[in-house]
Amino acid sequence: MGISENIRAIKTELSDKVTLVAVSKTKSNEDILEAYNTGHRIFGENKVQEMTQKWETLPKDIQWHMIGHVQRNKVKYMAPFVSLIHGVDSLRLLVEIDKQAQKCDRTIPCLLQIHIAEEETKFGLDSQELEALLVAPEFKALKNVAITGLMGMATFTDNEAQVRKEFKNLKAIFDATKKQLPALEVLSMGMSGDYQIAIEEGSNMVRIGSSIFGSRNYN
Ligand SMILES: *Cc1c(COP(=O)(O)O)cnc(C)c1O
């Protein structure tokens, strides 16, 4: 199957309540346009420079989501156009996003990334770090950042029970955090290999790359 068939099939399968982010990292403008021409508008990238180049050359009604780990010195390049930053995991990064958003006279929606996987390598806040962040004076002072949800990645494993447990944990953190931040709406969890489980556990935003565009050689 080609890209347009893949994306149509996945969108048919998803309910209206689940937003699809088509993860186009490493893929060409031609591949992205094939998905775009089915009517899809939300694309995810994990490198700021690559996303910025694609934003410059592709149709301006695409909503670009930054799904990767963000370095503070790169925020300024995407601040004018990024629709949603998924991987925010520090107050210092939030302060920088706030500053750059202010320069662009806009509010940038962000998700806080929560560490739910067993692997040491995955980024994200643990529960204690999340609690500390939510009560920090610098957090309360943010003006041009809107925290609209949480994001997480499960352990890369065939063990479905483990993946399910991690997604359940993130959903519980989401529900608890929403009591403090009523504006939380988005729960970004699930990729090609595990999005069905993620949706069963309460995800309303899935980030799907290889099941749409085919496998990647890198990243
Ligand atoms: C690459 C990536 C995805 C998509 O992965 P697939 O397995 O190709 O669907 C989702 N989320 C993040 C954060 C990624 O880096």
Side-chain angles (χ1 to χ4, degrees), residues 23 189 200:
V23 176
M189 59 183 197
E200 285 166 15

Side-chain angles (χ1 to χ4, degrees), residues 5 18 44 72 85 87 102 123 128 133 148 168 172 207 210:
E5 288 90 349
V18 178
R72 277 179 301 139
I85 302 177
Q102 211 161 329
F123 295 105
Q128 280 182 342
L133 186 149
T148 58
K168 250 189 222 311
R207 310 174 309 269
S210 42

